[in-house]
């Protein structure tokens, strides 16, 4: 499983999103300004955006509230599809 957090330096919601995920080693924080090719790959048009890529595809969570819900529900349960 691969988890990416897309942010921008000027985004006021990106700071709390990064703070929420700071202790999660498996999350890669991506500055959208420097990684437009990844944004295109995942269809990112708004930040903060969390992309969870599994062997079956990927899911995108846009906005601080949806990212908070993902952390509470999915990351707490440590559920995984089993891919590496």
């Amino acid at each position: 499983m691969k988890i990416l957090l897309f942010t921008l330096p000027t985004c006021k919601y990106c700071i709390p999103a990064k703070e929420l995920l700071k202790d999660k080693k498996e999350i890669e924080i991506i500055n959208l300004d420097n990684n437009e090719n990844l944004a295109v790959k995942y269809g990112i048009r708004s930040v903060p955006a969390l992309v969870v890529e599994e062997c079956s595809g990927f899911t995108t969570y846009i906005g601080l509230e949806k990212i908070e819900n993902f952390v509470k529900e999915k990351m707490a349960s440590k559920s995984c599809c089993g891919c590496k």
Side-chain angles (χ1 to χ4, degrees):
M1 180 163 51
K2 181 178 181 181
I3 303 175
L4 307 169
L5 176 64
F6 288 86
T7 66
L8 283 170
T10 57
C11 167
K12 69 178 183 178
Y13 299 106
C14 292
I15 294 168
K18 287 192 276 188
E19 184 66 24
L20 179 67
L21 299 166
K22 72 178 181 183
D23 295 332
K24 311 294 186 199
K25 295 176 186 175
E26 63 272 17
I27 296 177
E28 183 178 350
I29 297 175
I30 307 291
N31 181 334
L32 193 61
D33 284 337
N34 302 330
N35 294 284
E36 291 181 23
N37 57 337
L38 278 178
V40 170
K41 176 181 177 181
Y42 294 110
I44 304 301
R45 296 181 182 201
S46 181
V47 290
L50 189 71
V51 174
V52 180
E53 187 173 354
E54 298 176 312
C55 56
S56 60
F58 67 89
T59 306
T60 305
Y61 301 89
I62 305 291
L64 184 58
E65 184 177 333
K66 289 185 180 177
I67 293 170
E68 287 173 333
N69 288 339
F70 171 80
V71 170
K72 288 177 189 172
E73 295 170 13
K74 305 285 185 185
M75 293 193 84
S77 70
K78 303 278 187 193
S79 63
C80 180
C81 67
C83 64
K84 297 185 190 254

